[in-house]
Amino acid sequence: MCGIVGYVGCRDAYPILIKGLHRLEYRGYDSAGVALVGENGILNIYKAVGKVSNLEDAAQGGDRSGNIGIAHTRWATHGAPCERNAHPHLSQSGKLTMVHNGIIENAGDIRKQLLKKGFTFKSDTDSEVLLQLIEYTRNKYEADLATAIRSSLKKVVGAYAIAVLDSDSPDTLFAARKSSPLAVGIGEGNSEFFIASDASPIAGYTNKIVYINDEELAICKAGEDLCVTTLDDESVSVRAKELDLDVSMLDKGGFPHYMLKEIFEQPEVLRNCMRGRLLSAHRRIILSAVTEHREELLGARRFIMVSCGTSWHAALIGKQLIEQFCRIPVEVAYASEFRYSNPVVGPGDVVFAISQSGETADTLSAIQLAKEKGALIFGIVNAVGSSIARESDTGTYIHVGPEIGVASTKAFTGQTMVFTLLALAIAREKGSIAEDEFNEIFDELELIPGKIESILAQSDAIRELAQKYVGSRNFLYLGRGLNYPVALEGALKLKEISYIHAEGYPAAEMKHGPIALVDEDMPVVFLATHHNLYEKILSNMQEVVARKGKVLAIVTEGDVPVRGLVDRVIEVPKTLGCLCPLLSVVPLQLLAYHIAVAKGLDVDQPRNLAKSVTVE
Ligand code: G6P
């Protein structure tokens, strides 16, 4: 987590850095800070607790001039979120300043050694320890700054993306990474450089971008070629990529929150996700990863899915679809558990990494482990060029565009769509699906975006309904089959942004515990759309109604039996059972959104959370 931005060139650095921080605020928003070398050569640092807007207030009236600077938005790990612990940190001499994303695991030991050498610390952070180590190394060995940074980074254990500047050399920025993301944007003729945790602060200024690899240092000197070396000072050849990011996707486009905008983008982004992959004329699904790795996929011993959060819920859907259509066994693991479980994995296994950001530390480590053990790594990622995408042997992007609201919405439907395409494409190659069934699903897939549009048209009605739940303290979400992961996802959405405790459960499992919680104060959301377990879920609903539970049911248009049983229903269009998650999740996203708004909460940046979790 944490977002870092840096700029060196001929423009005013401050507005570029602040705009970049706003775009990275999804990565953490406990505190923010900026350091600039002013026109008079003086280093000016401003910090504030909370959001970037507080930082702007704090810097108001101060000297914000200068063509070089670094900035940071923090998600606290070491040390409370207060001004003292906010970045950028300042070295003992007052010359060096640094921002850091990641965790230095041996900071405690290094701090003790530096204290003995007379260093003092102003913050509780591991980051300040790294900066003082760089200064110590530079002074002790009379080294240049690049050498001091390389040598210090070789001594630290953990993860880092850093940007460092020396106020005595106000034309150069230094940036390095290990296990935390970092990109450098290169301006026309090397006249300027942008450093950032992802491409969003760079978009709109230049479309030449270089993703720095682990244990590499980039030296960005305005007017000179970008120089990248390993920590052993071996030169690395730099290959800039074309940055293809639509800047208009980075603003709210007239919606009050990113989350609502992203919910409403789902029809369009799912069309993008299918474009070029669904060949209507021939009723074929083309995924290059399936074509290129046909033998490994078809002959796989089993598939293992590793992921976290919402992406883990999508993996549960992927498992059901792949097992149903391809008859290949699939295991689903939390990435954080998988990596420490001494997993039985090796050649013949295909490990899928599902990740919106492509930077989640646990997921990245899980695939690195599986790769070492000989598995084929298949990424299902949104962020193009991200660490997980690069670490994967093959994969399929979900192509839903930047997702900024911390609660994931369009990424979930994008991941579900990719799993559907993947299951169908593999099944077709394997001959494990009948042609009629394939064609029926194929034709229905093309109708899904339009059907989501009709659910979105009910947003106002769902807002009215949401008012009734503002005072609720607990919720149960129940579903079966493919709607079970949707129940988990609906519960997660609610707790993430409305802070209401919510649990998702397989509906039949409810009677083994959660039913004890049901009374007239307990809202129970049932996913009761038409699919093979519809009759069964009706019985589960009866059990709740009999105990006076307040049921809200998501049903298929025109449903009569459920209407006869419960008061509150939200209808979704009829679709095939295997595609029901793509529709039934949408009203749950809207419900969570409208409840959180009605409670006056910060929907896009809920407390304690961050969008990209780059610490384990
Ligand atoms: C965080 C986000 C979730 C997300 C999870 C996994 O917790 O708040 O929305 O599902 O990380 O992230 P990934 O980027 O790997 O999908």
Side-chain angles (χ1 to χ4, degrees):
M1 359 268 252
C2 303
I4 65 178
V5 198
Y7 175 79
V8 59
C10 37
R11 308 186 208 210
D12 262 350
Y14 180 77
I16 296 171
L17 297 172
I18 291 294
K19 193 167 165 193
L21 286 186
H22 277 297
R23 288 191 176 160
L24 292 180
E25 214 167 12
Y26 72 86
R27 303 179 63 85
Y29 31 83
D30 292 339
S31 59
V34 58
L36 299 152
V37 183
E39 271 142 22
N40 48 14
I42 291 177
L43 188 58
N44 294 303
I45 298 184
Y46 303 99
K47 298 179 183 188
V49 173
K51 300 205 172 173
V52 176
S53 53
N54 297 356
L55 172 65
E56 288 176 88
D57 293 344
Q60 192 77 34
D63 179 3
R64 292 168 294 172
S65 66
N67 309 121
I68 183 168
I70 54 177
H72 189 265
T73 177
R74 180 167 187 248
W75 187 85
T77 57
H78 286 50
C82 57
E83 214 174 296
R84 199 166 51 81
N85 289 334
H87 301 214
H89 294 288
L90 190 61
S91 71
Q92 190 108 317
S93 67
K95 295 288 181 195
L96 302 184
T97 181
M98 187 187 89
V99 288
H100 168 225
N101 167 30
I103 291 184
I104 306 299
E105 289 171 12
N106 59 342
D109 291 344
I110 299 174
R111 177 188 278 257
K112 277 187 212 144
Q113 290 164 24
L114 290 173
L115 282 169
K116 282 190 206 143
K117 311 241 181 253
F119 275 78
T120 54
F121 293 89
K122 294 182 202 72
S123 79
D124 309 319
T125 65
D126 51 339
S127 314
E128 188 190 5
V129 173
L130 172 57
L131 176 63
Q132 306 295 15
L133 177 65
I134 293 171
E135 173 141 302
Y136 167 75
T137 310
R138 179 161 88 152
N139 294 345
K140 175 153 187 216
Y141 300 102
E142 294 178 359
D144 60 57
L145 184 52
T147 307
I149 295 173
R150 285 189 208 104
S151 151
S152 304
L153 291 178
K154 283 168 87 169
K155 295 201 174 75
V156 300
V157 178
Y160 55 79
I162 56 168
V164 186
L165 77 79
D166 176 357
S167 55
D168 283 342
S169 310
D171 58 357
T172 310
L173 280 179
F174 299 83
R177 72 156 262 175
K178 183 181 177 191
S179 305
S180 292
L182 192 69
V184 177
I186 306 175
E188 195 61 41
N190 300 323
S191 57
E192 56 185 352
F193 292 97
F194 304 80
I195 291 170
S197 299
D198 73 22
S200 62
I202 299 170
Y205 295 109
T206 173
N207 60 359
K208 264 173 84 182
I209 191 161
V210 173
Y211 291 99
I212 305 299
N213 292 314
D214 273 355
E215 302 189 273
E216 286 180 1
L217 172 72
I219 303 168
C220 313
K221 184 165 184 179
E224 292 188 6
D225 285 348
L226 175 68
C227 165
V228 180
T229 70
T230 65
L231 297 188
D232 291 324
D233 198 13
E234 286 153 358
S235 148
V236 174
S237 74
V238 176
R239 236 185 286 141
K241 294 200 163 127
E242 178 98 357
L243 172 59
D244 180 18
L245 190 60
D246 180 357
V247 185
S248 68
M249 294 287 268
L250 298 171
D251 59 41
K252 290 186 197 154
F255 285 88
H257 297 99
Y258 282 110
M259 183 178 173
L260 190 63
K261 174 186 176 233
E262 288 158 7
I263 292 172
F264 271 77
E265 276 172 358
Q266 289 176 111
E268 189 197 334
V269 299
L270 291 185
R271 285 187 187 107
N272 292 343
C273 177
M274 289 189 278
R275 188 162 299 133
R277 293 166 170 173
L278 233 57
L279 303 188
S280 304
H282 307 94
R283 281 211 181 110
R284 283 195 61 200
I285 294 175
I286 304 288
L287 295 175
S288 57
V290 176
T291 315
E292 284 160 22
H293 293 271
R294 185 179 182 281
E295 304 315 320
E296 289 118 303
L297 291 167
L298 265 57
R301 241 181 357 174
R302 63 185 171 156
F303 291 173
I304 303 173
M305 316 231 168
V306 293
S307 47
C308 308
T310 288
S311 301
W312 185 79
H313 296 157
L316 294 176
I317 293 174
K319 170 187 164 72
Q320 292 192 40
L321 293 172
I322 289 166
E323 290 191 335
Q324 180 183 336
F325 293 125
C326 313
R327 310 309 296 160
I328 296 170
V330 183
E331 288 171 25
V332 180
Y334 284 116
S336 53
E337 290 297 315
F338 178 86
R339 61 186 290 199
Y340 292 114
S341 64
N342 189 15
V344 183
V345 57
D349 292 327
V350 181
V351 173
F352 288 77
I354 305 96
S355 177
Q356 187 286 125
S357 63
E359 301 295 346
T360 303
D362 285 319
T363 309
L364 185 58
S365 300
I367 57 169
Q368 283 165 340
L369 174 72
K371 202 172 180 178
E372 273 165 32
K373 290 179 175 263
L376 179 81
I377 310 299
F378 193 117
I380 296 184
V381 173
N382 189 32
V384 176
S386 56
S387 303
I388 293 174
R390 285 180 289 139
E391 194 70 32
S392 298
D393 297 311
T394 185
T396 304
Y397 280 117
I398 63 171
H399 286 317
V400 299
E403 190 181 64
I404 294 166
V406 165
S408 183
T409 52
K410 62 176 178 172
F412 177 78
T413 40
Q415 290 162 341
T416 303
M417 177 58 84
V418 162
F419 273 126
T420 311
L421 302 184
L422 191 66
L424 291 171
I426 296 175
R428 198 79 167 103
E429 289 295 322
K430 213 179 158 197
S432 52
I433 186 168
E435 195 172 336
D436 286 356
E437 188 179 12
F438 180 93
N439 290 345
E440 191 189 10
I441 302 171
F442 188 100
D443 294 346
E444 179 65 15
L445 268 174
E446 300 196 292
L447 304 178
I448 289 292
K451 293 189 175 182
I452 295 180
E453 271 155 13
S454 77
I455 303 172
L456 297 174
Q458 299 178 61
S459 181
D460 287 347
I462 296 175
R463 188 180 54 221
E464 291 301 307
L465 195 62
Q467 312 304 317
K468 305 192 190 315
Y469 297 105
V470 170
S472 298
R473 305 282 306 274
N474 298 289
F475 260 77
L476 262 182
Y477 283 72
L478 303 174
R480 298 188 73 156
L482 282 165
N483 269 336
Y484 160 54
V486 176
L488 295 179
E489 177 60 9
L492 180 65
K493 287 300 84 111
L494 190 72
K495 56 190 149 194
E496 281 179 315
I497 59 171
S498 74
Y499 316 145
I500 295 172
H501 168 245
E503 272 191 74
Y505 245 83
E509 189 62 19
M510 165 197 69
K511 56 187 169 294
H512 300 292
I515 199 164
L517 301 169
V518 173
D519 62 15
E520 57 275 18
D521 294 326
M522 171 68 100
V524 184
V525 180
F526 267 94
L527 280 304
T529 53
H530 286 167
H531 69 351
N532 58 335
L533 293 167
Y534 174 72
E535 298 295 335
K536 304 269 176 210
I537 205 138
L538 277 187
S539 313
N540 301 137
M541 208 180 287
Q542 301 267 17
E543 291 155 13
V544 171
V545 171
R547 285 158 184 89
K548 300 197 171 61
K550 285 198 290 186
V551 173
L552 165 61
I554 312 300
V555 299
T556 303
E557 252 164 27
D559 183 295
V560 178
V562 175
R563 276 197 188 272
L565 204 60
V566 305
D567 299 333
R568 294 178 186 159
V569 298
I570 301 174
E571 289 193 339
V572 298
K574 189 171 183 333
T575 189
L576 297 172
C578 65
L579 303 183
C580 70
L582 290 164
L583 301 187
S584 53
V585 74
V586 179
L588 304 189
Q589 297 168 341
L590 286 169
L591 182 70
Y593 171 80
H594 287 303
I595 293 176
V597 170
K599 289 183 76 174
L601 296 171
D602 188 342
V603 174
D604 284 334
Q605 294 175 344
R607 70 182 181 206
N608 302 340
L609 298 178
K611 183 134 192 86
S612 182
V613 183
T614 52
V615 295
E616 63 166 286

